[in-house]
Amino acid sequence: MRKKLIAANWKMNKTRDAAARFARSLAERFGDGPDGCEVALFPPFTAIEAVRKETENSNIIVGAQNVFHREQGAYTGEVSCGMLVDAGCEVVITGHSERRLVFGEGNELVAAKTEAALKTGLRVILCVGETERERLDGRAKETVQTQVGIALRDAAHDGITVAYEPIWAIGTGRRAETQQIGEMHGHIRQTLSGIFGESADGIGILYGGSVSPENSSDVIGVRNVDGMLVGTASLELESFASIIKKVLAG
Ligand code: PGA
């Protein structure tokens, strides 16, 4: 059985102090590693170590929101996979739509980052998702299939989780319909089987995009949804805790 994963993507939010306080309280409540469910925090780079310190005796996983695929060198402003491991990260997000849209990351760069992270021993949450235009034009499945296919072309299946995040649902309060989520998750699972064969069965597929305490029970109940990547609703402890509880109850 695939373990559920509930991940908090804090984006460019929280000082070290605020991040540490959140992590400490979360570890007190869910640090034992609730049955069949993993909890992960993705602070900004500057707060990774502070969060790691608060969670090191717990089962809460700490990750980074981005990475560069080169090992070291003249890449001003970038951070390598080895540096993330050194800071206490177990996992990294690649291909988030904000990286794709705001920073111009294409599928090839996402593939290079994904491959480098997996080779370094990091787990990866690969984000994919279509724009509203692509959905309206009937190209949503094709877009997502291409994103998955290129990013995982040279990857081993171990350590991969995919997050389906329709771009039009991120930060908008407009979550995808359960039917849309079910269809796309089924399509992603099929695509993964095409790449990895039977070993694809172990790969979790998360949903992300305006997940909230109010809608999380519905989302987790959809077939092929193995967890959630939560942005806005993960910034407040009570709201994130409530999402975790709903998933545990479901
Ligand atoms: P959101 O963000 O929950 O605020 O929509 C999700 C994400 O970008 O991962």
Side-chain angles (χ1 to χ4, degrees), residues 7-9 11 93 96-98 127 163 165-166 169-174 207-212 229-234:
N9 175 11
K11 310 191 180 184
I93 294 173
H96 191 280
S97 65
E98 284 146 22
C127 295
E165 299 206 304
I170 294 180
T172 57
R174 203 181 127 211
Y207 169 78
S210 296
V211 169
S212 69
L229 183 53
V230 189
T232 313
S234 75

mmCIF file with all atom_site columns, all heavy atoms in Angstrom, residues 7-9 11 93 96-98 127 163 165-166 169-174 207-212 229-234, ligand 1:
data_model
loop_
_atom_site.group_PDB
_atom_site.id
_atom_site.type_symbol
_atom_site.label_atom_id
_atom_site.label_alt_id
_atom_site.label_comp_id
_atom_site.label_asym_id
_atom_site.label_entity_id
_atom_site.label_seq_id
_atom_site.pdbx_PDB_ins_code
_atom_site.Cartn_x
_atom_site.Cartn_y
_atom_site.Cartn_z
_atom_site.occupancy
_atom_site.B_iso_or_equiv
_atom_site.pdbx_formal_charge
_atom_site.auth_seq_id
_atom_site.auth_comp_id
_atom_site.auth_asym_id
_atom_site.auth_atom_id
_atom_site.pdbx_PDB_model_num
ATOM   1   N N   . ALA A 1 7   ? 2.089   17.430 2.445   1.00 0.00 ? 7   ALA A N   1
ATOM   2   C CA  . ALA A 1 7   ? 3.264   18.291 2.384   1.00 0.00 ? 7   ALA A CA  1
ATOM   3   C C   . ALA A 1 7   ? 2.874   19.763 2.420   1.00 0.00 ? 7   ALA A C   1
ATOM   4   O O   . ALA A 1 7   ? 1.918   20.179 1.771   1.00 0.00 ? 7   ALA A O   1
ATOM   5   C CB  . ALA A 1 7   ? 4.047   17.993 1.104   1.00 0.00 ? 7   ALA A CB  1
ATOM   6   N N   . ALA A 1 8   ? 3.636   20.534 3.198   1.00 0.00 ? 8   ALA A N   1
ATOM   7   C CA  . ALA A 1 8   ? 3.415   21.978 3.306   1.00 0.00 ? 8   ALA A CA  1
ATOM   8   C C   . ALA A 1 8   ? 4.461   22.704 2.477   1.00 0.00 ? 8   ALA A C   1
ATOM   9   O O   . ALA A 1 8   ? 5.659   22.606 2.757   1.00 0.00 ? 8   ALA A O   1
ATOM   10  C CB  . ALA A 1 8   ? 3.535   22.407 4.770   1.00 0.00 ? 8   ALA A CB  1
ATOM   11  N N   . ASN A 1 9   ? 4.011   23.405 1.437   1.00 0.00 ? 9   ASN A N   1
ATOM   12  C CA  . ASN A 1 9   ? 4.923   24.221 0.623   1.00 0.00 ? 9   ASN A CA  1
ATOM   13  C C   . ASN A 1 9   ? 4.761   25.673 1.062   1.00 0.00 ? 9   ASN A C   1
ATOM   14  O O   . ASN A 1 9   ? 3.799   26.329 0.695   1.00 0.00 ? 9   ASN A O   1
ATOM   15  C CB  . ASN A 1 9   ? 4.560   24.051 -0.862  1.00 0.00 ? 9   ASN A CB  1
ATOM   16  C CG  . ASN A 1 9   ? 5.372   24.966 -1.757  1.00 0.00 ? 9   ASN A CG  1
ATOM   17  O OD1 . ASN A 1 9   ? 6.345   25.576 -1.326  1.00 0.00 ? 9   ASN A OD1 1
ATOM   18  N ND2 . ASN A 1 9   ? 4.967   25.065 -3.015  1.00 0.00 ? 9   ASN A ND2 1
ATOM   19  N N   . LYS A 1 11  ? 6.562   28.213 0.294   1.00 0.00 ? 11  LYS A N   1
ATOM   20  C CA  . LYS A 1 11  ? 6.992   29.209 -0.714  1.00 0.00 ? 11  LYS A CA  1
ATOM   21  C C   . LYS A 1 11  ? 7.886   30.266 -0.040  1.00 0.00 ? 11  LYS A C   1
ATOM   22  O O   . LYS A 1 11  ? 8.650   29.923 0.857   1.00 0.00 ? 11  LYS A O   1
ATOM   23  C CB  . LYS A 1 11  ? 5.769   29.819 -1.406  1.00 0.00 ? 11  LYS A CB  1
ATOM   24  C CG  . LYS A 1 11  ? 4.818   28.712 -1.906  1.00 0.00 ? 11  LYS A CG  1
ATOM   25  C CD  . LYS A 1 11  ? 3.740   29.181 -2.816  1.00 0.00 ? 11  LYS A CD  1
ATOM   26  C CE  . LYS A 1 11  ? 2.889   27.982 -3.234  1.00 0.00 ? 11  LYS A CE  1
ATOM   27  N NZ  . LYS A 1 11  ? 1.868   28.308 -4.191  1.00 0.00 ? 11  LYS A NZ  1
ATOM   28  N N   . ILE A 1 93  ? 11.392  19.542 -4.050  1.00 0.00 ? 93  ILE A N   1
ATOM   29  C CA  . ILE A 1 93  ? 10.350  19.743 -5.056  1.00 0.00 ? 93  ILE A CA  1
ATOM   30  C C   . ILE A 1 93  ? 11.020  20.150 -6.369  1.00 0.00 ? 93  ILE A C   1
ATOM   31  O O   . ILE A 1 93  ? 11.886  21.025 -6.374  1.00 0.00 ? 93  ILE A O   1
ATOM   32  C CB  . ILE A 1 93  ? 9.370   20.866 -4.620  1.00 0.00 ? 93  ILE A CB  1
ATOM   33  C CG1 . ILE A 1 93  ? 8.584   20.443 -3.366  1.00 0.00 ? 93  ILE A CG1 1
ATOM   34  C CG2 . ILE A 1 93  ? 8.408   21.235 -5.756  1.00 0.00 ? 93  ILE A CG2 1
ATOM   35  C CD1 . ILE A 1 93  ? 7.722   21.559 -2.767  1.00 0.00 ? 93  ILE A CD1 1
ATOM   36  N N   . HIS A 1 96  ? 7.905   22.926 -9.856  1.00 0.00 ? 96  HIS A N   1
ATOM   37  C CA  . HIS A 1 96  ? 6.722   23.666 -9.393  1.00 0.00 ? 96  HIS A CA  1
ATOM   38  C C   . HIS A 1 96  ? 6.344   24.717 -10.437 1.00 0.00 ? 96  HIS A C   1
ATOM   39  O O   . HIS A 1 96  ? 7.213   25.335 -11.053 1.00 0.00 ? 96  HIS A O   1
ATOM   40  C CB  . HIS A 1 96  ? 6.996   24.336 -8.042  1.00 0.00 ? 96  HIS A CB  1
ATOM   41  C CG  . HIS A 1 96  ? 5.746   24.870 -7.422  1.00 0.00 ? 96  HIS A CG  1
ATOM   42  N ND1 . HIS A 1 96  ? 5.200   26.073 -7.810  1.00 0.00 ? 96  HIS A ND1 1
ATOM   43  C CD2 . HIS A 1 96  ? 4.907   24.350 -6.496  1.00 0.00 ? 96  HIS A CD2 1
ATOM   44  C CE1 . HIS A 1 96  ? 4.069   26.252 -7.126  1.00 0.00 ? 96  HIS A CE1 1
ATOM   45  N NE2 . HIS A 1 96  ? 3.877   25.239 -6.322  1.00 0.00 ? 96  HIS A NE2 1
ATOM   46  N N   . SER A 1 97  ? 5.059   24.942 -10.608 1.00 0.00 ? 97  SER A N   1
ATOM   47  C CA  . SER A 1 97  ? 4.626   25.837 -11.690 1.00 0.00 ? 97  SER A CA  1
ATOM   48  C C   . SER A 1 97  ? 5.148   27.261 -11.500 1.00 0.00 ? 97  SER A C   1
ATOM   49  O O   . SER A 1 97  ? 5.327   27.983 -12.478 1.00 0.00 ? 97  SER A O   1
ATOM   50  C CB  . SER A 1 97  ? 3.109   25.845 -11.811 1.00 0.00 ? 97  SER A CB  1
ATOM   51  O OG  . SER A 1 97  ? 2.543   26.398 -10.654 1.00 0.00 ? 97  SER A OG  1
ATOM   52  N N   . GLU A 1 98  ? 5.409   27.659 -10.253 1.00 0.00 ? 98  GLU A N   1
ATOM   53  C CA  . GLU A 1 98  ? 5.975   29.006 -10.070 1.00 0.00 ? 98  GLU A CA  1
ATOM   54  C C   . GLU A 1 98  ? 7.412   29.056 -10.573 1.00 0.00 ? 98  GLU A C   1
ATOM   55  O O   . GLU A 1 98  ? 7.875   30.080 -11.077 1.00 0.00 ? 98  GLU A O   1
ATOM   56  C CB  . GLU A 1 98  ? 5.854   29.423 -8.589  1.00 0.00 ? 98  GLU A CB  1
ATOM   57  C CG  . GLU A 1 98  ? 4.413   29.824 -8.262  1.00 0.00 ? 98  GLU A CG  1
ATOM   58  C CD  . GLU A 1 98  ? 3.962   29.490 -6.859  1.00 0.00 ? 98  GLU A CD  1
ATOM   59  O OE1 . GLU A 1 98  ? 4.800   29.326 -5.957  1.00 0.00 ? 98  GLU A OE1 1
ATOM   60  O OE2 . GLU A 1 98  ? 2.727   29.385 -6.661  1.00 0.00 ? 98  GLU A OE2 1
ATOM   61  N N   . CYS A 1 127 ? 6.408   18.257 -9.688  1.00 0.00 ? 127 CYS A N   1
ATOM   62  C CA  . CYS A 1 127 ? 5.117   18.915 -9.922  1.00 0.00 ? 127 CYS A CA  1
ATOM   63  C C   . CYS A 1 127 ? 4.826   19.048 -11.410 1.00 0.00 ? 127 CYS A C   1
ATOM   64  O O   . CYS A 1 127 ? 5.706   19.426 -12.194 1.00 0.00 ? 127 CYS A O   1
ATOM   65  C CB  . CYS A 1 127 ? 5.121   20.316 -9.316  1.00 0.00 ? 127 CYS A CB  1
ATOM   66  S SG  . CYS A 1 127 ? 5.260   20.316 -7.535  1.00 0.00 ? 127 CYS A SG  1
ATOM   67  N N   . ALA A 1 163 ? 3.262   15.292 -8.139  1.00 0.00 ? 163 ALA A N   1
ATOM   68  C CA  . ALA A 1 163 ? 2.169   16.130 -7.637  1.00 0.00 ? 163 ALA A CA  1
ATOM   69  C C   . ALA A 1 163 ? 1.457   16.764 -8.819  1.00 0.00 ? 163 ALA A C   1
ATOM   70  O O   . ALA A 1 163 ? 2.084   17.494 -9.611  1.00 0.00 ? 163 ALA A O   1
ATOM   71  C CB  . ALA A 1 163 ? 2.705   17.215 -6.705  1.00 0.00 ? 163 ALA A CB  1
ATOM   72  N N   . GLU A 1 165 ? -0.712  19.526 -10.031 1.00 0.00 ? 165 GLU A N   1
ATOM   73  C CA  . GLU A 1 165 ? -1.135  20.845 -9.574  1.00 0.00 ? 165 GLU A CA  1
ATOM   74  C C   . GLU A 1 165 ? -1.596  21.681 -10.768 1.00 0.00 ? 165 GLU A C   1
ATOM   75  O O   . GLU A 1 165 ? -0.773  22.353 -11.410 1.00 0.00 ? 165 GLU A O   1
ATOM   76  C CB  . GLU A 1 165 ? 0.030   21.558 -8.872  1.00 0.00 ? 165 GLU A CB  1
ATOM   77  C CG  . GLU A 1 165 ? 0.551   20.846 -7.656  1.00 0.00 ? 165 GLU A CG  1
ATOM   78  C CD  . GLU A 1 165 ? 1.210   21.817 -6.679  1.00 0.00 ? 165 GLU A CD  1
ATOM   79  O OE1 . GLU A 1 165 ? 2.135   22.539 -7.090  1.00 0.00 ? 165 GLU A OE1 1
ATOM   80  O OE2 . GLU A 1 165 ? 0.784   21.868 -5.526  1.00 0.00 ? 165 GLU A OE2 1
ATOM   81  N N   . PRO A 1 166 ? -2.904  21.633 -11.087 1.00 0.00 ? 166 PRO A N   1
ATOM   82  C CA  . PRO A 1 166 ? -3.381  22.471 -12.195 1.00 0.00 ? 166 PRO A CA  1
ATOM   83  C C   . PRO A 1 166 ? -3.096  23.934 -11.877 1.00 0.00 ? 166 PRO A C   1
ATOM   84  O O   . PRO A 1 166 ? -3.432  24.405 -10.783 1.00 0.00 ? 166 PRO A O   1
ATOM   85  C CB  . PRO A 1 166 ? -4.888  22.182 -12.229 1.00 0.00 ? 166 PRO A CB  1
ATOM   86  C CG  . PRO A 1 166 ? -5.222  21.469 -10.960 1.00 0.00 ? 166 PRO A CG  1
ATOM   87  C CD  . PRO A 1 166 ? -3.968  20.909 -10.393 1.00 0.00 ? 166 PRO A CD  1
ATOM   88  N N   . ALA A 1 169 ? -5.571  26.345 -10.469 1.00 0.00 ? 169 ALA A N   1
ATOM   89  C CA  . ALA A 1 169 ? -6.118  26.079 -9.126  1.00 0.00 ? 169 ALA A CA  1
ATOM   90  C C   . ALA A 1 169 ? -5.158  26.504 -8.022  1.00 0.00 ? 169 ALA A C   1
ATOM   91  O O   . ALA A 1 169 ? -5.512  26.475 -6.847  1.00 0.00 ? 169 ALA A O   1
ATOM   92  C CB  . ALA A 1 169 ? -6.433  24.593 -8.983  1.00 0.00 ? 169 ALA A CB  1
ATOM   93  N N   . ILE A 1 170 ? -3.948  26.914 -8.400  1.00 0.00 ? 170 ILE A N   1
ATOM   94  C CA  . ILE A 1 170 ? -2.951  27.243 -7.372  1.00 0.00 ? 170 ILE A CA  1
ATOM   95  C C   . ILE A 1 170 ? -3.159  28.667 -6.849  1.00 0.00 ? 170 ILE A C   1
ATOM   96  O O   . ILE A 1 170 ? -3.144  29.628 -7.620  1.00 0.00 ? 170 ILE A O   1
ATOM   97  C CB  . ILE A 1 170 ? -1.517  27.087 -7.930  1.00 0.00 ? 170 ILE A CB  1
ATOM   98  C CG1 . ILE A 1 170 ? -1.243  25.615 -8.234  1.00 0.00 ? 170 ILE A CG1 1
ATOM   99  C CG2 . ILE A 1 170 ? -0.487  27.626 -6.941  1.00 0.00 ? 170 ILE A CG2 1
ATOM   100 C CD1 . ILE A 1 170 ? 0.126   25.343 -8.789  1.00 0.00 ? 170 ILE A CD1 1
ATOM   101 N N   . GLY A 1 171 ? -3.380  28.763 -5.548  1.00 0.00 ? 171 GLY A N   1
ATOM   102 C CA  . GLY A 1 171 ? -3.495  30.064 -4.886  1.00 0.00 ? 171 GLY A CA  1
ATOM   103 C C   . GLY A 1 171 ? -4.730  30.848 -5.306  1.00 0.00 ? 171 GLY A C   1
ATOM   104 O O   . GLY A 1 171 ? -4.819  32.052 -5.046  1.00 0.00 ? 171 GLY A O   1
ATOM   105 N N   . THR A 1 172 ? -5.676  30.197 -5.946  1.00 0.00 ? 172 THR A N   1
ATOM   106 C CA  . THR A 1 172 ? -6.847  30.916 -6.456  1.00 0.00 ? 172 THR A CA  1
ATOM   107 C C   . THR A 1 172 ? -8.106  30.652 -5.628  1.00 0.00 ? 172 THR A C   1
ATOM   108 O O   . THR A 1 172 ? -9.130  31.305 -5.823  1.00 0.00 ? 172 THR A O   1
ATOM   109 C CB  . THR A 1 172 ? -7.172  30.462 -7.902  1.00 0.00 ? 172 THR A CB  1
ATOM   110 O OG1 . THR A 1 172 ? -7.377  29.033 -7.887  1.00 0.00 ? 172 THR A OG1 1
ATOM   111 C CG2 . THR A 1 172 ? -6.044  30.792 -8.851  1.00 0.00 ? 172 THR A CG2 1
ATOM   112 N N   . GLY A 1 173 ? -8.058  29.650 -4.752  1.00 0.00 ? 173 GLY A N   1
ATOM   113 C CA  . GLY A 1 173 ? -9.249  29.253 -4.006  1.00 0.00 ? 173 GLY A CA  1
ATOM   114 C C   . GLY A 1 173 ? -10.190 28.421 -4.865  1.00 0.00 ? 173 GLY A C   1
ATOM   115 O O   . GLY A 1 173 ? -11.284 28.067 -4.445  1.00 0.00 ? 173 GLY A O   1
ATOM   116 N N   . ARG A 1 174 ? -9.758  28.111 -6.075  1.00 0.00 ? 174 ARG A N   1
ATOM   117 C CA  . ARG A 1 174 ? -10.604 27.369 -7.025  1.00 0.00 ? 174 ARG A CA  1
ATOM   118 C C   . ARG A 1 174 ? -10.004 25.979 -7.255  1.00 0.00 ? 174 ARG A C   1
ATOM   119 O O   . ARG A 1 174 ? -9.259  25.764 -8.198  1.00 0.00 ? 174 ARG A O   1
ATOM   120 C CB  . ARG A 1 174 ? -10.586 28.164 -8.335  1.00 0.00 ? 174 ARG A CB  1
ATOM   121 C CG  . ARG A 1 174 ? -11.753 27.916 -9.220  1.00 0.00 ? 174 ARG A CG  1
ATOM   122 C CD  . ARG A 1 174 ? -11.583 28.737 -10.484 1.00 0.00 ? 174 ARG A CD  1
ATOM   123 N NE  . ARG A 1 174 ? -11.709 27.907 -11.650 1.00 0.00 ? 174 ARG A NE  1
ATOM   124 C CZ  . ARG A 1 174 ? -11.082 28.114 -12.802 1.00 0.00 ? 174 ARG A CZ  1
ATOM   125 N NH1 . ARG A 1 174 ? -10.254 29.136 -12.926 1.00 0.00 ? 174 ARG A NH1 1
ATOM   126 N NH2 . ARG A 1 174 ? -11.287 27.328 -13.816 1.00 0.00 ? 174 ARG A NH2 1
ATOM   127 N N   . TYR A 1 207 ? -2.258  15.589 -4.967  1.00 0.00 ? 207 TYR A N   1
ATOM   128 C CA  . TYR A 1 207 ? -2.972  16.688 -5.609  1.00 0.00 ? 207 TYR A CA  1
ATOM   129 C C   . TYR A 1 207 ? -2.562  17.990 -4.904  1.00 0.00 ? 207 TYR A C   1
ATOM   130 O O   . TYR A 1 207 ? -2.405  18.017 -3.676  1.00 0.00 ? 207 TYR A O   1
ATOM   131 C CB  . TYR A 1 207 ? -4.497  16.518 -5.511  1.00 0.00 ? 207 TYR A CB  1
ATOM   132 C CG  . TYR A 1 207 ? -5.197  17.794 -5.939  1.00 0.00 ? 207 TYR A CG  1
ATOM   133 C CD1 . TYR A 1 207 ? -5.320  18.104 -7.294  1.00 0.00 ? 207 TYR A CD1 1
ATOM   134 C CD2 . TYR A 1 207 ? -5.632  18.727 -4.995  1.00 0.00 ? 207 TYR A CD2 1
ATOM   135 C CE1 . TYR A 1 207 ? -5.879  19.304 -7.695  1.00 0.00 ? 207 TYR A CE1 1
ATOM   136 C CE2 . TYR A 1 207 ? -6.195  19.936 -5.392  1.00 0.00 ? 207 TYR A CE2 1
ATOM   137 C CZ  . TYR A 1 207 ? -6.310  20.217 -6.756  1.00 0.00 ? 207 TYR A CZ  1
ATOM   138 O OH  . TYR A 1 207 ? -6.843  21.416 -7.151  1.00 0.00 ? 207 TYR A OH  1
ATOM   139 N N   . GLY A 1 208 ? -2.429  19.073 -5.660  1.00 0.00 ? 208 GLY A N   1
ATOM   140 C CA  . GLY A 1 208 ? -2.167  20.390 -5.086  1.00 0.00 ? 208 GLY A CA  1
ATOM   141 C C   . GLY A 1 208 ? -2.921  21.452 -5.855  1.00 0.00 ? 208 GLY A C   1
ATOM   142 O O   . GLY A 1 208 ? -3.124  21.341 -7.071  1.00 0.00 ? 208 GLY A O   1
ATOM   143 N N   . GLY A 1 209 ? -3.342  22.496 -5.156  1.00 0.00 ? 209 GLY A N   1
ATOM   144 C CA  . GLY A 1 209 ? -4.093  23.592 -5.791  1.00 0.00 ? 209 GLY A CA  1
ATOM   145 C C   . GLY A 1 209 ? -5.315  23.912 -4.964  1.00 0.00 ? 209 GLY A C   1
ATOM   146 O O   . GLY A 1 209 ? -6.351  23.253 -5.089  1.00 0.00 ? 209 GLY A O   1
ATOM   147 N N   . SER A 1 210 ? -5.167  24.924 -4.069  1.00 0.00 ? 210 SER A N   1
ATOM   148 C CA  . SER A 1 210 ? -6.281  25.381 -3.224  1.00 0.00 ? 210 SER A CA  1
ATOM   149 C C   . SER A 1 210 ? -6.865  24.276 -2.341  1.00 0.00 ? 210 SER A C   1
ATOM   150 O O   . SER A 1 210 ? -8.070  24.244 -2.105  1.00 0.00 ? 210 SER A O   1
ATOM   151 C CB  . SER A 1 210 ? -7.368  26.041 -4.079  1.00 0.00 ? 210 SER A CB  1
ATOM   152 O OG  . SER A 1 210 ? -6.849  27.213 -4.689  1.00 0.00 ? 210 SER A OG  1
ATOM   153 N N   . VAL A 1 211 ? -5.994  23.390 -1.850  1.00 0.00 ? 211 VAL A N   1
ATOM   154 C CA  . VAL A 1 211 ? -6.439  22.428 -0.835  1.00 0.00 ? 211 VAL A CA  1
ATOM   155 C C   . VAL A 1 211 ? -6.675  23.200 0.455   1.00 0.00 ? 211 VAL A C   1
ATOM   156 O O   . VAL A 1 211 ? -5.904  24.087 0.815   1.00 0.00 ? 211 VAL A O   1
ATOM   157 C CB  . VAL A 1 211 ? -5.360  21.329 -0.605  1.00 0.00 ? 211 VAL A CB  1
ATOM   158 C CG1 . VAL A 1 211 ? -5.702  20.498 0.628   1.00 0.00 ? 211 VAL A CG1 1
ATOM   159 C CG2 . VAL A 1 211 ? -5.223  20.446 -1.833  1.00 0.00 ? 211 VAL A CG2 1
ATOM   160 N N   . SER A 1 212 ? -7.756  22.871 1.158   1.00 0.00 ? 212 SER A N   1
ATOM   161 C CA  . SER A 1 212 ? -8.095  23.557 2.401   1.00 0.00 ? 212 SER A CA  1
ATOM   162 C C   . SER A 1 212 ? -8.656  22.550 3.397   1.00 0.00 ? 212 SER A C   1
ATOM   163 O O   . SER A 1 212 ? -9.003  21.427 3.014   1.00 0.00 ? 212 SER A O   1
ATOM   164 C CB  . SER A 1 212 ? -9.154  24.629 2.115   1.00 0.00 ? 212 SER A CB  1
ATOM   165 O OG  . SER A 1 212 ? -10.372 23.993 1.771   1.00 0.00 ? 212 SER A OG  1
ATOM   166 N N   . LEU A 1 229 ? -0.252  18.413 -1.699  1.00 0.00 ? 229 LEU A N   1
ATOM   167 C CA  . LEU A 1 229 ? 0.770   19.444 -1.562  1.00 0.00 ? 229 LEU A CA  1
ATOM   168 C C   . LEU A 1 229 ? 0.006   20.740 -1.296  1.00 0.00 ? 229 LEU A C   1
ATOM   169 O O   . LEU A 1 229 ? -0.771  21.194 -2.137  1.00 0.00 ? 229 LEU A O   1
ATOM   170 C CB  . LEU A 1 229 ? 1.600   19.527 -2.852  1.00 0.00 ? 229 LEU A CB  1
ATOM   171 C CG  . LEU A 1 229 ? 2.765   20.502 -2.892  1.00 0.00 ? 229 LEU A CG  1
ATOM   172 C CD1 . LEU A 1 229 ? 3.726   20.309 -1.729  1.00 0.00 ? 229 LEU A CD1 1
ATOM   173 C CD2 . LEU A 1 229 ? 3.553   20.324 -4.199  1.00 0.00 ? 229 LEU A CD2 1
ATOM   174 N N   . VAL A 1 230 ? 0.226   21.307 -0.122  1.00 0.00 ? 230 VAL A N   1
ATOM   175 C CA  . VAL A 1 230 ? -0.613  22.406 0.342   1.00 0.00 ? 230 VAL A CA  1
ATOM   176 C C   . VAL A 1 230 ? 0.206   23.697 0.436   1.00 0.00 ? 230 VAL A C   1
ATOM   177 O O   . VAL A 1 230 ? 1.250   23.715 1.082   1.00 0.00 ? 230 VAL A O   1
ATOM   178 C CB  . VAL A 1 230 ? -1.198  22.082 1.739   1.00 0.00 ? 230 VAL A CB  1
ATOM   179 C CG1 . VAL A 1 230 ? -2.250  23.108 2.132   1.00 0.00 ? 230 VAL A CG1 1
ATOM   180 C CG2 . VAL A 1 230 ? -1.770  20.674 1.788   1.00 0.00 ? 230 VAL A CG2 1
ATOM   181 N N   . GLY A 1 231 ? -0.270  24.750 -0.193  1.00 0.00 ? 231 GLY A N   1
ATOM   182 C CA  . GLY A 1 231 ? 0.407   26.048 -0.133  1.00 0.00 ? 231 GLY A CA  1
ATOM   183 C C   . GLY A 1 231 ? -0.215  26.926 0.938   1.00 0.00 ? 231 GLY A C   1
ATOM   184 O O   . GLY A 1 231 ? 0.070   26.795 2.131   1.00 0.00 ? 231 GLY A O   1
ATOM   185 N N   . THR A 1 232 ? -1.104  27.813 0.518   1.00 0.00 ? 232 THR A N   1
ATOM   186 C CA  . THR A 1 232 ? -1.717  28.806 1.405   1.00 0.00 ? 232 THR A CA  1
ATOM   187 C C   . THR A 1 232 ? -2.212  28.207 2.732   1.00 0.00 ? 232 THR A C   1
ATOM   188 O O   . THR A 1 232 ? -1.925  28.745 3.808   1.00 0.00 ? 232 THR A O   1
ATOM   189 C CB  . THR A 1 232 ? -2.907  29.480 0.684   1.00 0.00 ? 232 THR A CB  1
ATOM   190 O OG1 . THR A 1 232 ? -2.463  29.853 -0.627  1.00 0.00 ? 232 THR A OG1 1
ATOM   191 C CG2 . THR A 1 232 ? -3.365  30.720 1.418   1.00 0.00 ? 232 THR A CG2 1
ATOM   192 N N   . ALA A 1 233 ? -2.935  27.094 2.654   1.00 0.00 ? 233 ALA A N   1
ATOM   193 C CA  . ALA A 1 233 ? -3.540  26.522 3.863   1.00 0.00 ? 233 ALA A CA  1
ATOM   194 C C   . ALA A 1 233 ? -2.512  25.826 4.757   1.00 0.00 ? 233 ALA A C   1
ATOM   195 O O   . ALA A 1 233 ? -2.865  25.304 5.817   1.00 0.00 ? 233 ALA A O   1
ATOM   196 C CB  . ALA A 1 233 ? -4.659  25.555 3.485   1.00 0.00 ? 233 ALA A CB  1
ATOM   197 N N   . SER A 1 234 ? -1.237  25.821 4.355   1.00 0.00 ? 234 SER A N   1
ATOM   198 C CA  . SER A 1 234 ? -0.217  25.210 5.215   1.00 0.00 ? 234 SER A CA  1
ATOM   199 C C   . SER A 1 234 ? 0.521   26.262 6.034   1.00 0.00 ? 234 SER A C   1
ATOM   200 O O   . SER A 1 234 ? 1.374   25.939 6.855   1.00 0.00 ? 234 SER A O   1
ATOM   201 C CB  . SER A 1 234 ? 0.799   24.433 4.365   1.00 0.00 ? 234 SER A CB  1
ATOM   202 O OG  . SER A 1 234 ? 1.676   25.318 3.687   1.00 0.00 ? 234 SER A OG  1
HETATM 203 P P1  . PGA B 2 .   ? -2.069  26.586 -2.885  1.00 0.00 ? 1   PGA B P1  1
HETATM 204 O O1  . PGA B 2 .   ? -0.598  26.242 -3.428  1.00 0.00 ? 1   PGA B O1  1
HETATM 205 O O2  . PGA B 2 .   ? -2.433  25.501 -1.890  1.00 0.00 ? 1   PGA B O2  1
HETATM 206 O O3  . PGA B 2 .   ? -1.933  27.944 -2.230  1.00 0.00 ? 1   PGA B O3  1
HETATM 207 O O4  . PGA B 2 .   ? -2.985  26.606 -4.046  1.00 0.00 ? 1   PGA B O4  1
HETATM 208 C C1  . PGA B 2 .   ? -0.240  24.920 -3.737  1.00 0.00 ? 1   PGA B C1  1
HETATM 209 C C2  . PGA B 2 .   ? 1.143   24.863 -4.336  1.00 0.00 ? 1   PGA B C2  1
HETATM 210 O O5  . PGA B 2 .   ? 1.527   25.791 -5.045  1.00 0.00 ? 1   PGA B O5  1
HETATM 211 O O6  . PGA B 2 .   ? 1.876   23.880 -4.107  1.00 0.00 ? 1   PGA B O6  1
#
